[in-house]
Amino acid sequence: MIPMATASETPTEYIQHHLTFLTKPIGTGGFWTLNVDTLIMTALLGVVTFGFLYFVSRKATTGVPSKTQAFVEWFLDFVNGQVKSVYNGTTALIAPMALTTFVLTLFMNAMDVLPLDLVAKGLHALGVPYWRVVPTADVNTTFALAFAVLGLSIFYAIKIKGLGGWVRELFCAPFGSHPVLWILNLLFNVIEYVSKTLSHSLRLFGNMYAGEIMFLVVAMLGASGYVGLVAGAGLHVAWSIFELLIILLQAYIFMMLTVVYLAMAHEHH
């Protein structure tokens, strides 16, 4: 994030500035560059997520529930129902992981509704030239989440089937165990792992990145005069409502894909 667009800025420059990360190169830079804003926002939202879950669990009572507890219990039942519709195994951590994944992704997505220029002006006054507040609009974040799910799926596959059983499945499924088919089976399974990770990460990133672009385009419309200001305000409200649906939907989809991939890891072929 940066200060509001000046008269000398073109729409392209304004959008590019808002989409610039606060970075810190490691060594010579290049590929090894940290997006500091993404790391800090992810860490802060992680603390908020676990703090929220801890607060809710601490406030739970066996007596007459409050409205907040009633809503949380309904939501927990909803998540458990979604998990049971996909996963038939006995691992007790799948539902808690699904809940944590949903809440964390939801909080990260929700940063997209913050007013861009107000945040930018406040940070600029503190000497911060660039700052992006939506971690899931950074492909590095979504890939990190997807790689974590990939690691968990491989972990549970080995835990359920054993290392030998997992390796045998890599070489002998789905086309058969004949040695001639081993390479084909391995390639198929590697492609499956790669494609699941790519789709898991890029779907979330693409939707949140597009949401950022739309907010910036609407902001530029508001800077084009009184008519643009009125039209921009109306479009901003309309897009904000639509973006709230996207935020919820993308968190739900990411959670469900996580459950599906972990459920697939428990299946024997």
Side-chain angles (χ1 to χ4, degrees):
M1 299 297 175
I2 60 148
M4 295 181 67
T6 63
S8 61
E9 281 187 315
T10 66
T12 300
E13 290 172 338
Y14 174 74
I15 291 174
Q16 287 178 341
H17 287 166
H18 270 292
L19 296 179
T20 301
F21 292 99
L22 180 66
T23 59
K24 180 176 178 56
I26 300 178
T28 58
F31 177 80
W32 299 108
T33 300
L34 298 178
N35 291 341
V36 177
D37 41 11
T38 296
L39 292 173
I40 292 177
M41 290 301 302
T42 302
L44 289 175
L45 292 169
V47 171
V48 171
T49 298
F50 287 103
F52 170 76
L53 295 174
Y54 176 77
F55 174 79
V56 169
S57 64
R58 291 281 294 178
K59 291 292 184 178
T61 176
T62 56
V64 179
S66 63
K67 292 182 179 180
T68 301
Q69 182 176 335
F71 173 78
V72 170
E73 289 178 352
W74 169 83
F75 181 71
L76 288 174
D77 290 338
F78 172 76
V79 172
N80 284 326
Q82 295 300 303
V83 172
K84 289 179 181 178
S85 68
V86 176
Y87 174 68
N88 299 316
T90 58
T91 302
L93 292 177
I94 300 299
M97 282 193 292
L99 176 64
T100 304
T101 299
F102 177 83
V103 176
L104 177 60
T105 307
L106 178 64
F107 283 3
M108 289 195 291
N109 291 352
M111 295 298 100
D112 202 21
V113 300
L114 293 178
L116 295 175
D117 287 317
L118 291 180
V119 173
K121 289 178 69 177
L123 291 172
H124 183 69
L126 298 175
V128 180
Y130 304 103
W131 194 271
R132 293 183 64 179
V133 297
V134 188
T136 44
D138 183 353
V139 72
N140 296 287
T141 302
T142 58
F143 262 109
L145 294 172
F147 277 128
V149 175
L150 173 64
L152 284 171
S153 65
I154 293 175
F155 168 78
Y156 278 112
I158 295 174
K159 181 180 179 181
I160 298 299
K161 305 163 189 175
L163 179 59
W166 177 65
V167 172
R168 184 181 186 280
E169 190 174 88
L170 286 178
F171 285 91
C172 299
F175 302 117
S177 58
H178 194 283
V180 175
L181 300 173
W182 285 359
I183 298 299
L184 181 61
N185 286 325
L186 178 62
L187 288 174
F188 180 88
N189 285 298
V190 169
I191 291 172
E192 182 182 16
Y193 276 124
V194 172
S195 62
K196 287 191 296 186
T197 303
L198 285 173
S199 64
H200 202 191
S201 60
L202 294 180
R203 178 182 285 104
L204 177 59
F205 162 72
N207 280 276
M208 300 315 301
Y209 184 79
E212 266 195 326
I213 295 293
M214 282 301 301
F215 275 123
L216 291 170
V217 171
V218 171
M220 288 303 303
L221 178 63
S224 61
Y226 290 111
V227 176
L229 181 63
V230 174
L235 287 174
H236 182 82
V237 172
W239 182 254
S240 295
I241 295 173
F242 184 67
E243 187 68 10
L244 287 174
L245 297 176
I246 294 176
I247 287 169
L248 285 168
L249 181 62
Q250 291 305 313
Y252 171 77
I253 292 174
F254 196 88
M255 176 194 75
M256 289 306 301
L257 286 176
T258 298
V259 175
V260 168
Y261 294 157
L262 293 178
M264 291 174 64
H266 286 71
E267 296 175 356
H268 291 271
H269 297 283

